[in-house]
Amino acid sequence: MNPTFKPSLLKYSPALFNTPVISKLVANESQLTLEKTMTDNSSVFRQEAERYLSNNPNTKHIDVYLNDINGSFRGKRMNITSLLSLEKGAYFPQSVYSMDKEGKVLGNQNDDLAMNEPDRICFPVAGTLRPCGHNPAENAQILLTMKNDQGHPYALEPRIILANVLRKFHEHGLYPVIAPEIEFYLEDAQNRKIQNSGCFHLAVPSEHAAFIEELEKMATLQNLPLSGIVCEAEAGQFELNLQHSGQVADICENVLALRRLTSIVAHKFGFNANFMAKPYSQMSGSGLHFHISLNDEEGNNVFASGDKNLNEMMRLCLAGMLNLMPASMAILAPNVNSFRRLRKNLNEPLFNSWGVNQRSAALRIPCSGEAHRRIEYRLAGSDANPYLAMATLLTGMLYGLEKIENDPVADLTACSPVLPLFQQHALDEFRQCPYLTESLGEAFSQQWIQTKLSELTWFESIVTPEESTFSY
């Protein structure tokens, strides 16, 4: 990639252009290069596996899985005696990354992928061997990553898509730091009745106390960096906060692992953890928010400024994300239901463009000290795939830093993009945005459009009871 950052940005980072050497300190802290997870380093995995077995001698089974494009877990359970053999790899069908939400493989009738579903070798991702939420004393789980038929990372894997975008930041000497927040509703498992709590409700003990304590305990056992559980705006709505980290791909994996763990723990207490973007028509939707900043090689926040004004680095990143925001909606709102969260009615979006300390803003600048200046990206729903959501919003930041040359941020309040309010419109915007589709990969982008159009066609074929009522 040819670096095209404005010369004036050099004052914010000494290494915005290609740098042949990354300091060991930064590499160790950020762990963003992902080489350790992209290669089958058998000695590292063997040490991790032997340490786990020593600490968990009663383990009987290991769940091995891949995260598909929808963020679902696709895998199988194996006897724990097979754990060490994973250093040589395990085979899964390549079609795992070509499935819709129902697990149906999408492809042309004569497509080898759809017809034969060829297997590809997969290797463990370092640091993801942990106790399973179901009976953790006897069951473990571990994430795998796939190689293509030439032994390279598989281009349709969401983790690899994010890794490729992160690599572009590394080439510029920049290192994203993120902190996700995931919202969900806690419902009665029998009748979906929500459990009353109220915004920032702190009554302890409560009907939720045992669930919260167990979730915190299990998150610690799984080494998930859960930093807080907050009662949100609506009754029965909660928010899970993860610690900020430069290990971006790992944090996205933690989001999916925590989403799954929350559902498992909820069922233990007779609840259902609902991560739909808009489960109730008259109540607030649930989002997946990302707090994001950029560090230079020395660990300095390049968004920091000496006064209350936003510096040029931050303003260009905002402008880039705003420019790509309409096309980004196809990834950040992956389902029909996702768009119900993003609009007040059929014609009016719920979020405006950006703002300082404004929760109605799609891009919010939270209250913070200079060193912690950051952007909160609020558009993604809780049903979004965090790998793809992060790859998308980071691509927007790159667009601002690479492609915007004039000073379009003199008045960002005038840069309010017209957002698609329906999935078909969003997919059209995505298709017509080559910067974003090329960044995520053309093969993935084409498949994403095909998959989502197929799901949309299926949804539109359903005749609901409400339609029957209104027809008489």
Side-chain angles (χ1 to χ4, degrees):
M1 180 182 66
N2 295 323
T4 57
F5 286 173
K6 297 170 61 177
S8 62
L9 297 182
L10 290 174
K11 61 186 177 182
Y12 298 108
S13 173
L16 287 178
F17 291 92
N18 288 359
T19 52
V21 178
I22 297 177
S23 68
K24 291 183 179 180
L25 176 62
V26 173
N28 289 337
E29 288 181 351
S30 66
Q31 297 185 25
L32 294 179
T33 54
L34 295 181
E35 274 83 357
K36 72 184 182 68
T37 62
M38 297 301 117
T39 59
D40 50 336
N41 190 325
S42 60
S43 61
V44 172
F45 169 72
R46 178 169 287 273
Q47 291 175 11
E48 182 178 359
E50 290 177 345
R51 183 167 58 250
Y52 184 91
L53 293 175
S54 176
N55 294 332
N56 301 272
N58 296 322
T59 304
K60 296 180 180 179
H61 306 104
I62 176 74
D63 292 343
V64 296
Y65 64 92
L66 301 162
N67 291 135
D68 69 10
I69 62 173
N70 293 297
S72 300
F73 282 54
R74 304 284 182 186
K76 60 184 178 181
R77 174 160 290 188
M78 302 167 59
N79 190 286
I80 195 61
T81 56
S82 301
L83 176 60
L84 293 179
S85 67
L86 289 177
E87 66 179 334
K88 298 180 180 178
Y91 285 93
F92 276 89
Q94 182 176 314
S95 58
V96 164
Y97 296 114
S98 300
M99 293 179 178
D100 62 13
K101 290 185 68 67
E102 299 299 318
K104 179 182 178 182
V105 180
L106 298 181
N108 298 324
Q109 187 174 4
N110 297 322
D111 188 352
D112 179 65
L113 176 64
M115 294 291 292
N116 299 317
E117 298 191 59
D119 284 343
R120 298 290 177 237
I121 195 165
C122 306
F123 293 99
V125 174
T128 64
L129 177 58
R130 51 174 65 108
C132 184
H134 290 293
N135 193 0
E138 296 185 356
N139 301 317
Q141 64 184 54
I142 191 167
L143 174 67
L144 304 181
T145 183
M146 183 176 286
K147 304 289 186 179
N148 64 18
D149 54 358
Q150 297 178 332
H152 300 138
Y154 186 56
L156 298 186
E157 182 178 338
R159 187 178 179 91
I160 302 304
I161 292 170
L162 174 57
N164 291 335
V165 176
L166 288 169
R167 189 171 295 110
K168 299 174 185 177
F169 279 87
H170 305 159
E171 293 172 355
H172 289 311
L174 293 173
Y175 304 88
V177 176
I178 68 169
E181 300 170 343
I182 325 159
E183 295 173 336
F184 70 99
Y185 277 91
L186 197 63
E187 310 164 337
D188 184 282
Q190 298 300 317
N191 56 20
R192 287 195 64 192
K193 180 181 179 182
I194 56 177
Q195 304 296 309
N196 187 40
S197 55
C199 190
F200 297 109
H201 181 71
L202 279 178
V204 177
S206 71
E207 64 271 16
H208 302 135
F211 160 75
I212 292 173
E213 290 176 3
E214 179 68 10
L215 181 57
E216 291 177 330
K217 173 186 173 182
M218 285 301 304
T220 299
L221 190 64
Q222 290 195 344
N223 198 29
L224 300 176
L226 178 63
S227 62
I229 304 175
V230 181
C231 288
E232 264 297 329
E234 301 285 4
Q237 188 181 38
F238 291 84
E239 179 182 84
L240 306 175
N241 301 147
L242 280 77
Q243 298 172 6
H244 74 278
S245 171
Q247 302 176 39
V248 176
D250 291 342
I251 287 295
C252 289
E253 188 273 333
N254 291 162
V255 170
L256 292 175
L258 185 57
R259 202 159 70 184
R260 182 172 188 250
L261 176 64
T262 302
S263 296
I264 292 172
V265 174
H267 279 293
K268 290 182 180 180
F269 293 90
F271 298 139
N272 175 56
N274 191 327
F275 286 92
M276 288 178 64
K278 185 72 171 179
Y280 302 99
S281 60
Q282 302 303 318
M283 300 177 72
S284 299
S286 295
L288 171 58
H289 303 163
F290 290 96
H291 292 253
I292 181 166
S293 57
L294 293 177
N295 283 358
D296 63 17
E297 284 191 317
E298 304 302 322
N300 302 307
N301 183 359
V302 299
F303 288 165
S305 59
D307 53 38
K308 294 183 179 180
N309 296 321
L310 308 183
N311 65 27
E312 190 175 9
M313 282 288 289
M314 194 171 196
R315 290 161 70 84
L316 285 172
C317 286
L318 283 171
M321 286 190 285
L322 288 171
N323 269 273
L324 265 59
M325 191 174 287
S328 299
M329 298 294 292
I331 303 294
L332 303 176
N335 307 299
V336 171
N337 178 262
S338 311
F339 286 86
R340 301 187 190 278
R341 168 182 169 266
L342 296 172
R343 58 183 184 242
K344 297 179 182 178
N345 51 55
L346 292 181
N347 301 305
E348 185 180 3
L350 182 65
F351 295 99
N352 57 33
S353 60
W354 83 285
V356 177
N357 197 22
Q358 297 178 16
R359 283 187 166 81
S360 61
L363 303 178
R364 172 177 175 253
I365 312 302
C367 299
S368 69
E370 174 187 345
H372 302 289
R373 194 69 56 84
R374 63 193 185 276
I375 300 169
E376 181 186 6
Y377 200 103
R378 298 173 58 84
L379 272 185
S382 58
D383 55 348
N385 185 320
Y387 289 119
L388 300 177
M390 272 306 305
T392 299
L393 71 91
L394 287 173
T395 297
M397 297 175 75
L398 280 172
Y399 183 86
L401 296 173
E402 291 184 344
K403 298 297 183 181
I404 297 179
E405 298 181 1
N406 300 322
D407 188 12
V409 288
D411 185 9
L412 271 177
T413 57
C415 301
S416 183
V418 178
L419 298 181
L421 298 181
F422 295 88
Q423 190 174 28
Q424 177 70 65
H425 184 192
L427 291 169
D428 290 340
E429 292 278 359
F430 180 66
R431 182 189 286 111
Q432 298 169 30
C433 183
Y435 190 91
L436 181 56
T437 58
E438 290 173 10
S439 177
L440 301 184
E442 290 296 347
F444 165 80
S445 298
Q446 292 175 14
Q447 178 180 279
W448 181 265
I449 293 171
Q450 178 188 5
T451 301
K452 295 306 168 183
L453 285 177
S454 176
E455 293 175 355
L456 180 59
T457 299
W458 172 83
F459 178 83
E460 294 290 354
S461 71
I462 299 172
V463 178
T464 67
E466 288 75 13
E467 290 177 84
S468 301
T469 299
F470 284 131
S471 66
Y472 293 102

